[in-house]
Amino acid sequence: MNSFVSFLDKSPDLIRQIVEDGLAIKSGSRHPENLTGKTLGMLFFNPSLRTRVSFDQAMTRFGGQALTLSASGDVWNLEFADGAVMDGTTVEHVKDAAKVLSRYVDALAIRSFGDLKNLSDDLQEKVLRSFEKYAEIPVVSMESACEHPAQCLADMMTIRERHGKERVKFVLSWAPHIKPLPMAVPHSALLCAAHLGLDITVAHPPGFELADSYLDYSRSVASSFGGSVKVSHDQDEALSDAVVVYGKNWAPSSAYGDPTRLASMLDAHKDWLVTGDKIASASTLLHCLPVRRNLEIADSALDSPQSAIYDEAENRLWAQVALLDHVFSS
Ligand code: CP
């Protein structure tokens, strides 16, 4: 089965091929055949605008259909622990839900963010991996605790459109926020640039390290395509000669589970706001959206000529058509 839960499960060549397919589908030179007559079930444990609408449109524009379910209102409260005595608030075990949904739809897409209490728990991707374990159909991530593969494919498309196959400097810059956010998008931004073989700098204040497993994997993939990965704590220096800038907040995993420390660490770096002046040398600014304007990234950057945020959002649609064409290809 062609499940798509994590880039780490997939060969870099397959990922690059899906991106090329997305570009060809967008240009009209390739027609995806495999969505016709298929139904995608979409189960959301968290809110969404882009992911929900773009997956829905990817299916319906190419002859399939999508069914949207909210985990907080449309389905029973799910149990994930194997062997649990279900005498509390959970009503249906994921084992039963996944097997039943497998009889109704052709693939199951899941959005489930991390708890931000313990990084090693988040890295286990309990919700996505439980559905993958029990489902009898492909399971697709619509963003999990530590990764956002569909966003990553769209980001790769956007860079390919604007920079071709040039090996440019890509800076993933930490940006301020008022609430702790997961590392799924920054991990995927890193994977995006690594799979394009770019020269990557991850710039963040001390204490905001990304997960070692994603850094190590990205170093290996980037170097296999001629690129590199380094980490900097100096935003100005990192951005001074950047060509592609990805601005994004994420919470420090060293303070997961400690709300007071999380809040004080987030509050201490408001000067990392990504502004138009800071990205003056760059050609492209990316952000997955939604963005808190003038808290995380300033209007002067988001509304600048370098900003590719709306192309990037549009590319979610085309990237997902290519991804679903692959998922349904068996
Ligand atoms: N970028 C993204 O995944 O947006 P949504 O959370 O609105 O789906």
Side-chain angles (χ1 to χ4, degrees):
M1 276 193 302
N2 288 333
S3 286
F4 207 104
V5 170
S6 166
F7 264 42
L8 277 52
D9 299 339
K10 301 292 175 187
S11 82
D13 286 340
L14 171 67
I15 287 162
R16 286 161 65 110
Q17 185 57 54
I18 292 171
V19 170
E20 296 308 311
D21 290 349
L23 291 166
I25 292 165
K26 184 177 181 182
S27 75
S29 64
R30 178 187 165 93
H31 186 79
E33 305 286 351
N34 300 321
L35 284 65
T36 308
K38 297 290 196 305
T39 300
L40 177 71
M42 301 193 294
L43 178 57
F44 287 90
F45 288 81
N46 311 95
S48 167
L49 187 153
R50 279 141 292 271
T51 304
R52 175 176 172 159
V53 178
S54 56
F55 266 99
D56 180 298
Q57 285 300 295
M59 290 301 296
T60 54
R61 286 194 195 191
F62 291 94
Q65 58 180 318
L67 173 73
T68 303
L69 297 167
S70 163
S72 60
D74 293 331
V75 300
W76 301 108
N77 198 18
L78 291 172
E79 174 63 54
F80 288 89
D82 284 335
V85 176
M86 290 170 53
D87 57 358
T89 57
T90 57
V91 179
E92 179 154 33
H93 199 280
V94 62
K95 179 190 304 190
D96 304 318
K99 287 187 183 299
V100 169
L101 285 167
S102 300
R103 306 287 174 105
Y104 300 146
V105 298
D106 300 294
L108 192 53
I110 313 275
R111 166 167 282 201
S112 174
F113 297 169
D115 293 340
L116 277 67
K117 290 186 179 143
N118 181 302
L119 179 60
S120 59
D121 286 350
D122 283 353
L123 285 165
Q124 289 185 20
E125 304 286 15
K126 181 184 69 181
V127 175
L128 268 285
R129 294 297 184 190
S130 297
F131 273 100
E132 191 184 23
K133 178 176 172 187
Y134 295 117
E136 292 156 0
I137 53 175
V139 171
V140 177
S141 172
M142 296 193 295
E143 187 173 348
S144 64
C146 289
E147 234 180 289
H148 195 347
Q151 180 71 49
C152 190
L153 294 168
D155 296 342
M156 287 177 71
M157 275 184 66
T158 311
I159 295 172
R160 278 278 290 104
E161 285 177 329
R162 294 174 74 104
H163 299 279
K165 293 185 176 172
E166 234 184 310
R167 181 180 155 190
V168 296
K169 179 174 176 182
F170 174 99
V171 177
L172 169 59
S173 176
W174 187 89
H177 210 283
I178 48 167
K179 59 178 279 223
L181 299 184
M183 292 199 277
V185 169
H187 284 160
S188 290
L190 175 62
L191 290 167
C192 152
H195 282 75
L196 292 171
L198 305 186
D199 285 322
I200 304 163
T201 299
V202 183
H204 60 74
F208 286 75
E209 288 73 23
L210 296 178
D212 286 340
S213 51
Y214 281 92
L215 280 165
D216 292 345
Y217 186 78
S218 297
R219 277 198 184 94
S220 157
V221 172
S223 76
S224 76
F225 292 121
S228 60
V229 179
K230 69 177 188 181
V231 174
S232 167
H233 295 152
D234 186 335
Q235 187 192 41
D236 289 335
E237 184 189 62
L239 292 179
S240 65
D241 57 352
V243 176
V244 179
V245 176
Y246 204 119
K248 188 72 186 82
N249 172 268
W250 64 90
S253 61
S254 58
Y256 277 10
D258 183 343
T260 309
R261 194 155 157 254
L262 273 171
S264 86
M265 284 183 78
L266 284 171
D267 197 47
H269 303 288
K270 289 187 174 142
D271 58 332
W272 280 67
L273 174 71
V274 176
T275 63
D277 285 346
K278 287 183 186 174
I279 64 157
S281 84
S283 309
T284 299
L285 172 71
L286 299 173
H287 187 286
C288 60
L289 304 179
V291 61
R292 293 209 185 205
R293 283 177 172 260
N294 304 310
L295 173 73
E296 194 178 1
I297 304 191
D299 287 346
S300 59
L302 289 168
D303 299 330
S304 70
Q306 298 103 304
S307 176
I309 56 175
Y310 304 126
D311 290 342
E312 186 184 4
E314 181 192 335
N315 284 337
R316 292 294 306 278
L317 170 63
W318 304 111
Q320 279 147 208
V321 175
L323 171 62
L324 292 165
D325 197 43
H326 164 71
V327 166
F328 291 125
S329 64
S330 60

